[in-house]
Amino acid sequence: MKSIIFKNIFIQNFLSIGNEPLEIDFSSGLNVISGINKDEDNISNAAGKSSIIDAFYFAIFGSTMRDLSKLSFVVNRKNGKNCVVRLNFDIKDGSGLCSYLIERKLAPQGVKIWKNGSELTKSTTAETNKYIEELISADKDIFQNCILMRANNVTPFMAKKKQEKKNFIENIFKLDVFSSMSKFLKEDIREIKGQYNVEQNTLNFYNKNLEEYNKEMERLLHLQEEEAAVKQEEIINLNKKIKEEHDRKIDILAKYNKAKNEISIDTSDAEAIIKACDNTLKQLNSIKSKFTVDIAVLNRDFDKLKNSENICPTCKREYPADYLQEIEIKKTNIVDQINDLTIKLEAISGKIAEIENKKSSAVSTVNDINKLKTDFLLIQKEVEQCDNVITLYQEQLDKKLVKRDFSGVENFKNLIKTTEESIVGVKRKVDFLEKDLAKMNICEHILGEYGVRAYIVNQLLELFNGRIMHYLHKIKSTFNFRFNEVFEEEIKDSNGIICQYYNCSGAEMKKIDLAISFAINDMLSLQKQVNYNVLFFDEILDSSLDDKSLNIILNFISEYTAKENKAVYIISHKSGAQIPHINEVITIEKVNGFTKRVYEN
């Protein structure tokens, strides 16, 4: 598991924040960001609270969640320069703990990143942005739906199009392995199609020759019957054809000699590596699958123990202390087993990636060499074609130059017989390759949209739907919600009546959005093995919810925050006194067009 621990942020000349920096040290617990706009009669709107989320997002991705036509509009309008955002964070994984700093600037523009004090900035901004996204194992969609949840400027997950939801969930489910497998399969199909095309071209050539031989034999028989003699013209035409074929053969031989020097490399070593890699991958993937299943089973057992009551449902008496103590010991043992299996799973995954890279390199080598060999075979066929045609024309010419007779009929009979035998052999190869292609197409279907991928999606959807229902229960929603195998939502109210997302009340839509966001966070940790310590809720609790529902959700968020050791920041028009279990209240105010943080004395 990789943990991304955001520590603090420094913001200067960003949107309404001016030369006076606004700094926040991210603190575990439930925190509130409130503000007052003294330029607008002390209202809470437009104080600059959401600028903190935009700055956080900007530091990572180099853009904002606002619909701005130009990035230059991010720079504070009054000062017009020296926009700076710095984000400090740690990454903890199997290799230890490392500290990172991202610094982004506008007017002048630039981005830099440091690891443990050493600069790792890439040669271009695009490369640096890509490095940062890979470093934190996330993209813009994940952050907008899981980490930085806003009421404005961001489309809620349920409001996205069906294909967008499908792509996002499959990304969380980490199904990109099927894309890799499909890629290798397509390469195999392309190679077999290349061989098929060579043999099919050869078959077409023989069929064409056979057709020409039959026509020529019929022509000679007709000449024999008619005893027509246009000998001189035929001699001229045959000489012309022989010369054309000789000229064509000279051009082809030049390509033949060049290709001959390029196919001397032996593929046996690379093929041996591929076979060894396949055997190793099969073993490692089997081990990985077992670890994954074991972890899932342990997590289910843990949840059962965690959710068990202290009172016997039959006799309504509290369980004995030694029984409860035994339950706690079992839970501790399960956690230890999960941690041990997770470490082993990460090690196996790393080894799989290493073997796959090694295999990919060997496959590339074999493909390159085989392509050269295929090209060489085509050139050989062309040379043979020239020789066959030249031989045919020469035989005809020889007959024209001697005393006229029609013994050539027998020669064509022999050529027809030989060609028909060749056609049988080549047709056998074509049929064999067609069967191989049919098998490949079946495999392609299995790895496609409705094959094994669909089966795995269904299994993961059960887990995903379970987490959604878990959080809906936590925030006291009476709705039953699930995604089906084609990522369409199925919603039932407390009476079991089917309804649509947009038919729900604003409060219920809000609860569904929140439950899905927390469920996505769980899947992110489980599938992508990454955990983020910071969550932002920007004004999503300021509308649609009555006081009772709001308190239920806030109590849940507080419980979730403590359990997961998160630094949760609620940006709200409500004061800190209206929100329970507050760790810290960050107050900002806007005066004379500038936003700054106000510290209590």
Side-chain angles (χ1 to χ4, degrees):
M1 171 73 74
K2 178 193 287 187
S3 295
I4 313 296
I5 307 164
F6 295 106
K7 297 193 294 186
N8 56 66
I9 191 169
F10 171 98
I11 313 168
Q12 186 177 38
N13 285 316
F14 184 92
L15 295 175
S16 61
I17 299 167
N19 280 323
E20 181 177 339
L22 193 155
E23 299 184 61
I24 295 178
D25 293 325
F26 298 118
S27 176
S28 295
L30 188 58
N31 306 278
V32 173
I33 300 176
S34 63
I36 184 170
N37 186 348
K38 292 190 174 182
D39 294 342
E40 299 288 341
D41 197 22
N42 292 334
I43 64 173
S44 60
N45 286 325
K49 303 184 296 296
S50 297
S51 297
I52 297 171
I53 286 187
D54 281 308
F56 190 99
Y57 188 86
F58 172 74
I60 295 172
F61 298 107
S63 58
T64 71
M65 297 166 72
R66 300 175 186 238
D67 188 16
L68 297 176
S69 59
K70 294 182 179 180
L71 194 60
S72 59
F73 292 150
V74 169
V75 183
N76 181 270
R77 290 195 302 268
K78 289 190 173 184
N79 294 330
K81 61 181 180 179
N82 297 329
C83 172
V84 181
V85 177
R86 299 189 188 100
L87 182 63
N88 279 284
F89 60 98
D90 290 339
I91 295 182
K92 185 178 181 181
D93 54 21
S95 60
L97 180 71
C98 294
S99 296
Y100 293 85
L101 168 63
I102 300 172
E103 179 184 79
R104 286 194 188 270
K105 293 182 177 181
L106 290 173
Q109 183 173 346
V111 57
K112 293 183 178 181
I113 183 169
W114 291 266
K115 175 183 178 181
N116 295 330
S118 299
E119 186 174 351
L120 297 178
T121 307
K122 306 303 178 184
S123 58
T124 66
T125 298
E127 290 176 351
T128 303
N129 288 342
K130 181 180 179 182
Y131 172 72
I132 291 172
E133 290 190 30
E134 291 174 348
L135 189 66
I136 63 174
S137 302
D139 56 26
K140 293 180 180 180
D141 273 348
I142 288 176
F143 262 65
Q144 291 180 12
N145 286 281
C146 304
I147 312 301
L148 312 175
M149 289 167 273
R150 301 186 65 172
N152 303 312
N153 301 324
V154 175
T155 304
F157 179 80
M158 285 302 299
K160 293 179 181 294
K161 295 179 180 178
K162 174 185 170 182
Q163 188 60 40
E164 292 175 336
K165 288 187 284 190
K166 176 179 179 294
N167 292 340
F168 181 81
I169 293 175
E170 287 197 351
N171 181 24
I172 295 295
F173 286 175
K174 204 174 181 181
L175 296 178
D176 50 345
V177 63
F178 289 100
S179 298
S180 298
M181 293 170 69
S182 295
K183 178 183 176 183
F184 292 132
L185 181 61
K186 287 177 181 177
E187 290 174 353
D188 291 341
I189 291 175
R190 185 164 54 249
E191 180 182 348
I192 293 176
K193 281 184 177 179
Q195 298 175 15
Y196 174 81
N197 290 336
V198 169
E199 297 299 335
Q200 187 64 52
N201 289 337
T202 303
L203 182 61
N204 292 338
F205 171 74
Y206 282 136
N207 282 326
K208 183 178 179 181
N209 280 352
L210 181 61
E211 182 181 356
E212 291 180 355
Y213 296 157
N214 282 318
K215 288 180 179 179
E216 189 65 18
M217 188 173 69
E218 290 175 4
R219 188 182 70 82
L220 289 175
L221 290 172
H222 179 72
L223 288 176
Q224 187 177 24
E225 292 173 0
E226 298 293 332
E227 294 185 347
V230 284
K231 188 174 187 180
Q232 189 60 37
E233 182 178 352
E234 290 177 351
I235 290 173
I236 294 172
N237 289 335
L238 286 171
N239 278 321
K240 180 180 178 182
K241 290 179 180 179
I242 290 173
K243 183 179 184 306
E244 289 174 352
E245 287 301 313
H246 272 296
D247 292 342
R248 190 164 80 91
K249 182 177 178 181
I250 290 172
D251 292 338
I252 295 172
L253 283 174
K255 292 192 294 183
Y256 177 91
N257 292 329
K258 180 181 178 183
K260 186 175 181 181
N261 296 327
E262 297 177 347
I263 63 169
S264 59
I265 302 175
D266 187 10
T267 61
S268 58
D269 290 340
E271 290 169 347
I273 292 173
I274 294 171
K275 183 176 180 181
C277 288
D278 284 335
N279 292 335
T280 304
L281 284 172
K282 182 177 180 182
Q283 297 172 3
L284 293 177
N285 279 319
S286 176
I287 296 171
K288 180 179 178 180
S289 297
K290 182 180 183 304
F291 285 167
T292 303
V293 170
D294 291 345
I295 290 174
V297 170
L298 290 171
N299 276 319
R300 186 179 66 243
D301 293 345
F302 182 83
D303 287 341
K304 288 181 180 178
L305 293 175
K306 181 181 70 174
N307 296 327
S308 61
E309 300 291 340
N310 293 336
I311 299 175
C312 176
T314 303
C315 65
K316 306 301 181 181
R317 295 180 181 177
E318 291 188 358
Y319 286 119
D322 55 347
Y323 176 79
L324 296 175
Q325 184 177 7
E326 182 182 349
I327 293 297
E328 292 301 317
I329 292 172
K330 288 181 178 180
K331 287 162 64 178
T332 301
N333 289 338
I334 290 174
V335 170
D336 291 340
Q337 293 177 57
I338 291 174
N339 292 338
D340 182 59
L341 286 172
T342 300
I343 292 171
K344 293 178 178 178
L345 185 60
E346 290 174 352
I348 288 292
S349 296
K351 187 64 177 176
I352 288 174
E354 178 185 339
I355 297 298
E356 287 177 340
N357 287 337
K358 184 176 180 181
K359 177 184 174 182
S360 177
S361 176
V363 168
S364 178
T365 299
V366 172
N367 288 344
D368 290 344
I369 295 172
N370 286 339
K371 184 179 182 302
L372 289 174
K373 290 181 178 180
T374 299
D375 293 341
F376 181 73
L377 288 175
L378 287 172
I379 294 172
Q380 283 183 316
K381 292 293 182 184
E382 289 183 16
V383 172
E384 291 173 6
Q385 291 173 17
C386 287
D387 288 334
N388 288 339
V389 174
I390 290 171
T391 299
L392 174 63
Y393 290 152
Q394 189 62 50
E395 288 175 353
Q396 296 175 24
L397 181 60
D398 290 340
K399 291 167 186 171
K400 299 296 179 183
L401 295 176
V402 298
K403 184 178 179 180
R404 185 173 182 80
D405 61 39
F406 293 95
S407 60
V409 172
E410 292 300 321
N411 292 333
F412 275 106
K413 287 182 179 179
N414 292 331
L415 282 172
I416 290 171
K417 181 180 179 181
T418 302
T419 303
E420 287 176 341
E421 291 173 351
S422 298
I423 287 174
V424 171
V426 175
K427 185 66 169 59
R428 190 180 297 113
K429 293 180 182 178
V430 169
D431 291 342
F432 179 79
L433 290 170
E434 283 180 344
K435 290 179 181 178
D436 270 1
L437 283 174
K439 293 176 184 177
M440 291 290 185
N441 289 331
I442 293 173
C443 292
E444 192 172 29
H445 176 75
I446 291 173
L447 294 176
E449 197 71 21
Y450 301 101
V452 67
R453 176 200 291 258
Y455 173 78
I456 294 176
V457 167
N458 286 336
Q459 301 303 309
L460 291 173
L461 273 178
E462 288 301 317
L463 176 60
F464 186 40
N465 289 330
R467 298 313 297 163
I468 294 174
M469 287 303 302
H470 168 75
Y471 289 117
L472 284 175
H473 176 74
K474 283 287 186 180
I475 57 181
K476 309 300 182 186
S477 172
T478 59
F479 278 71
N480 188 302
F481 182 99
R482 70 183 298 275
F483 285 106
N484 62 22
E485 64 276 3
V486 293
F487 299 99
E488 295 172 339
E489 65 269 15
E490 297 176 356
I491 307 174
K492 293 181 180 179
D493 63 16
S494 57
N495 296 317
I497 298 175
I498 296 175
C499 57
Q500 297 294 318
Y501 173 74
Y502 286 108
N503 288 339
C504 300
S505 68
E508 286 300 340
M509 289 170 68
K510 187 86 68 177
K511 289 180 180 180
I512 290 173
D513 290 338
L514 284 170
I516 290 175
S517 293
F518 281 106
I520 289 173
N521 256 303
D522 288 352
M523 298 304 294
L524 193 65
S525 297
L526 178 64
Q527 289 299 108
K528 285 187 172 289
Q529 293 291 297
V530 62
N531 180 58
Y532 304 95
N533 71 314
V534 170
L535 292 177
F536 281 92
F537 296 91
D538 186 5
E539 299 185 7
I540 64 173
L541 305 180
D542 284 355
S543 62
S544 303
L545 299 171
D546 57 28
D547 290 342
K548 182 177 180 181
S549 295
L550 179 61
N551 286 332
I552 289 173
I553 291 175
L554 288 173
N555 284 328
F556 161 70
I557 292 176
S558 177
E559 175 188 333
Y560 177 86
T561 301
K563 176 185 173 183
E564 301 294 335
N565 194 28
K566 300 277 190 182
V568 176
Y569 286 82
I570 296 178
I571 297 177
S572 175
H573 295 301
K574 301 180 184 296
S575 65
Q578 295 175 281
I579 300 177
H581 313 297
I582 297 301
N583 173 61
E584 180 183 21
V585 175
I586 296 174
T587 303
I588 64 174
E589 66 178 21
K590 189 175 185 181
V591 180
N592 296 326
F594 290 109
T595 296
K596 65 179 180 178
R597 180 173 178 178
V598 179
Y599 295 89
E600 295 183 4
N601 295 327

